[in-house]
Amino acid sequence: MSKTVIYHNPRCSKSRETLALLEGQQQDIEIVEYLQSPPSVTELTTLLKQLGMQPRQLLRTKEALYKELQLNNDNLSDQQLIEAMCANPKLIERPIVIKNNQAIIGRPPEAVLDIL
């Protein structure tokens, strides 16, 4: 059985609900507390490919930091957005679950069942 990886924030209710759902599915889980161990640019780029998303789609636009860093600027490149998320991981939407090279955001938590 391949591992199920969750990019988890224990303070987030959706992240906790998703982790509980995975545990209930008897998954071999690897928990990545991404606020303590942010992904590298390479890791985040891979995650985006697995998610089938553009960097802007993974940004938490309601975070105060999003406005402070002026990330709503359409002139920013994908690379700049990825670097901003790596430097400030709380800007990354959560939770992200990866299984067999596929990734999905656990919003709602039940969405992760599609890749298990």
Side-chain angles (χ1 to χ4, degrees), residues 38-94:
S40 67
V41 169
T42 303
E43 289 169 328
L44 189 56
T45 302
T46 299
L47 259 179
L48 285 162
K49 286 180 186 156
Q50 290 172 320
L51 286 163
M53 297 174 85
Q54 296 300 311
R56 194 164 291 285
Q57 295 173 289
L58 194 58
L59 277 167
R60 294 178 55 81
T61 59
K62 293 188 172 120
E63 285 289 336
L65 194 55
Y66 177 83
K67 291 172 186 62
E68 284 174 36
L69 296 176
Q70 299 176 342
L71 296 175
N72 60 341
N73 180 346
D74 288 335
N75 293 322
L76 293 173
S77 69
D78 285 352
Q79 186 66 26
Q80 288 170 308
L81 294 174
I82 289 169
E83 289 171 5
M85 284 187 275
C86 290
N88 305 281
K90 72 182 197 173
L91 290 168
I92 301 171
E93 188 59 77
R94 62 187 180 255

